[in-house]
Amino acid sequence: MFIIPGFLVSFLTFPGVIMHELGHQLACWICKICVFKVKYFQFDTKTGGFVQHEKTDNPWKSLLITYGPFILNTLLGTILVFPVALMWTYQSFGATLPVWVKLACYALAYLGVSCLANAFPSSGDAGVLFTSVVKNKAIPLFIRVIVAPFVGIIYLCSLAKFFWFDFVFALGVPQLIYSLISHNPPHFWTMW
Amino acid sequence: MDGMEQNDSFGAELCRVCGRRYIDRNSGNPGEFMCRECRQEYSKLRVPKWLVACVAAAVIAAVVLCVYLASAYRNYYVGGRQAVTAREDLLRTAEKMAESGKQWSALGTIEEYLQDNPTNRDMAMEGTRMAMKYGLYDYAAYFIQNYISEKTSTRGEIKELNGYVDKINRYYDTGDAIQAVFDGLAEIDAESMSEAEIEQLRQSIRDRILNFTKDKQYDEGLAYISAAYYASADEEEAKEYLLKAADFPTAAPEACGRLAVYERQRGDFSKAEEWIKKGEALNGENTELARAKATILLAKGEYEAALPISEEIYSLAPDYMYVADTYAVNLYALGMTDKMEEIISKAAETNYEFAEDFYQLINGEISVREYYVSEEE
């Protein structure tokens, strides 16, 4: 497997890292959880950014805060890659577009792909969710059972990132949109 | 006390965040560690303005682009529907032309359309399919090379095109291989060779060409027709190869033309016309086929009917084998001797050589029928 250090990927996709942290922050705000410090992006080899917030015993709030980036980044990423998918559809009919439109589409696609690639919660996020909910005996068992698979999913995705799962997802979303609009099979790399 | 928060419980702890006010024990949270003001302050959404502006700008840009692309698509679709109708009309016309034996003209019509609409991949695909169907691989190669891009093709189309490209490559490779065989002949001085040596050489060339028919890398039709054209002096042997070549779209029109000539020479016009009909289904505008048709009409005495055909093939390929002969014979048969002399003079300028019996014909030694039907001689 072709390995690129994680921090380098973070640097290259820094808009997505910023959105990831904003996702946590927004989820905290929705849940009325106090946020003490937010670092949207930093040149650090360990972590690209962080959100320091108060702990909560509410499992649903914990779940939402953990999955906040996934929701925000996926939504925003999908919006941002939509133009490029439309552009491909348009081009698949043999039509040509002005260069500025193509450039704008690809620029937004970069932002969109960055968001999508950073959509998945980190294993650190999973650790917090595991400790605050799954391991917390004060929380009813059935809730812990419900939340546990969400923790497992994050860990699985973290493992899959070794096989570039985050980028497969990030590059796959625009292709999926293209396929749904144009009814054509995706072309994968040739489209980019 | 001034400057002090009023607290419900005596001896309460100070807020762990600001350290100035008491922890809000009325918050409902048993683990509360902040004062009310701090909680209110830190519960606020504090997103930097630059970040809000960037996200808003990106989303607005995405929406604007989507609207632009959607309207461009709608315009393209409306214009496209008209274009599709025009394209479908043109395609239907081209298909009718092809079915009526005018395959070259049909593909020429598609080519003209593509020159005006180079991005119309669908038309290029249809043109390629038509060219492949009628064995006109040069046209197919031209369409693929100039108007079809792998990027805008679906997987199914790419698979289909790969099949065509394989066939086209085989066709050109066969042409090159046959040319290489004939290139070797340039160094041979045939005049210094005995008849037996010439025959031996002929057989060796024929065998080398026929070897291409055994190799899947080569186009069988092209190899068979070449074997019949260049390597075989024996008419029956040539017929055998022509019959085989007639089964392959790349060589069928020409093979049918040659077979029609073969039957015409034996006076069997109905068989000759059958071959013409078969050839026309693939390419009615093939020079050899059209010439064969004209000669059958001339042999039957239908000189007026033959004239437009012989005139057309002369205008398109004056130097092609026997084309000038056919046109000149047609003019002679119609008594247009001035025009015939003009053709003979033009042919002399290009070193075109008329057949020996052509001069017998124009000298009145043989009739047009005798000129075209050998068995009656």
Side-chain angles (χ1 to χ4, degrees), chain A residues 20 47-48 55 67 91 109 136 146 149 151 159-160 167 170 178 186:
Chain A
H20 183 102
T47 175
K55 284 181 185 172
Y67 273 87
Q91 285 178 330
N136 188 348
I146 291 170
V151 178
L159 278 176
F167 278 91
Y178 162 76

Side-chain angles (χ1 to χ4, degrees), chain B residues 106-347:
Chain B
L107 289 167
T109 309
I110 292 175
E111 185 191 354
E112 272 177 32
Y113 177 88
L114 285 171
Q115 279 166 356
D116 295 335
N117 306 275
T119 56
N120 199 319
R121 196 186 46 85
D122 289 346
M123 184 58 112
M125 277 304 292
E126 292 297 340
T128 306
R129 286 183 187 120
M130 188 184 279
M132 291 305 293
K133 180 182 171 187
Y134 294 113
L136 298 168
Y137 289 4
D138 291 331
Y139 254 125
Y142 171 76
F143 289 147
I144 292 171
Q145 205 166 3
N146 293 286
Y147 301 110
I148 298 172
S149 141
E150 201 178 296
K151 246 186 170 180
T152 54
S153 301
T154 62
R155 252 186 242 172
E157 283 171 344
I158 290 170
K159 201 178 166 189
E160 182 185 352
L161 286 167
N162 283 341
Y164 293 157
V165 170
D166 281 348
K167 282 185 180 176
I168 293 167
N169 285 341
R170 268 206 302 274
Y171 173 75
Y172 285 125
D173 287 348
T174 313
D176 290 344
I178 291 169
Q179 189 57 47
V181 172
F182 292 117
D183 285 347
L185 292 176
E187 291 161 15
I188 295 168
D189 180 15
E191 283 179 13
S192 65
M193 290 168 79
S194 68
E195 273 192 29
E197 282 172 329
I198 290 172
E199 178 60 18
Q200 203 177 2
L201 179 66
R202 184 191 71 73
Q203 283 179 8
S204 110
I205 293 165
R206 179 204 60 194
D207 292 343
R208 281 173 68 189
I209 292 174
L210 284 176
N211 272 338
F212 297 137
T213 63
K214 293 169 195 159
D215 193 335
K216 293 283 175 204
Q217 272 188 304
Y218 297 109
D219 185 285
E220 274 185 83
L222 208 55
Y224 276 125
I225 197 122
S226 300
Y229 255 110
Y230 300 102
S232 188
D234 176 4
E235 284 194 344
E236 285 306 316
E237 191 191 345
K239 188 187 173 188
E240 183 194 329
Y241 303 140
L242 289 172
L243 284 170
K244 285 178 179 166
D247 291 333
F248 298 93
T250 45
E254 211 159 323
C256 290
R258 288 285 314 271
L259 286 162
V261 167
Y262 176 88
E263 298 300 345
R264 184 213 71 211
Q265 281 172 340
R266 275 147 194 79
D268 193 340
F269 297 142
S270 63
K271 263 193 181 173
E273 279 166 346
E274 268 177 42
W275 282 117
I276 295 292
K277 211 174 162 186
K278 195 179 170 190
E280 277 181 340
L282 278 168
N283 184 7
E285 291 169 303
N286 178 279
T287 309
E288 181 59 30
L289 193 73
R291 197 194 71 82
K293 191 176 181 179
T295 62
I296 294 164
L297 290 168
L298 286 169
K300 285 163 74 179
E302 297 172 26
Y303 309 139
E304 295 280 354
L307 188 63
I309 305 169
S310 53
E311 225 164 23
E312 194 183 348
I313 53 171
Y314 182 75
S315 67
L316 292 171
D319 298 328
Y320 192 81
M321 282 185 301
Y322 303 117
V323 164
D325 295 59
T326 308
Y327 187 37
V329 169
N330 206 156
L331 293 170
Y332 167 80
L334 288 167
M336 299 159 78
T337 46
D338 289 347
K339 181 86 178 158
M340 181 193 74
E341 292 295 342
E342 197 185 306
I343 300 301
I344 294 170
S345 315
K346 271 190 188 172

Side-chain angles (χ1 to χ4, degrees), chain A residues 139-163:
Chain A
I139 293 172
L141 181 67
F142 82 95
I143 294 177
R144 287 154 61 196
V145 168
I146 291 170
V147 174
F150 287 95
V151 178
I153 288 169
I154 300 171
Y155 279 125
L156 269 178
C157 291
S158 293
L159 278 176
K161 279 181 187 176
F162 179 74
F163 301 101

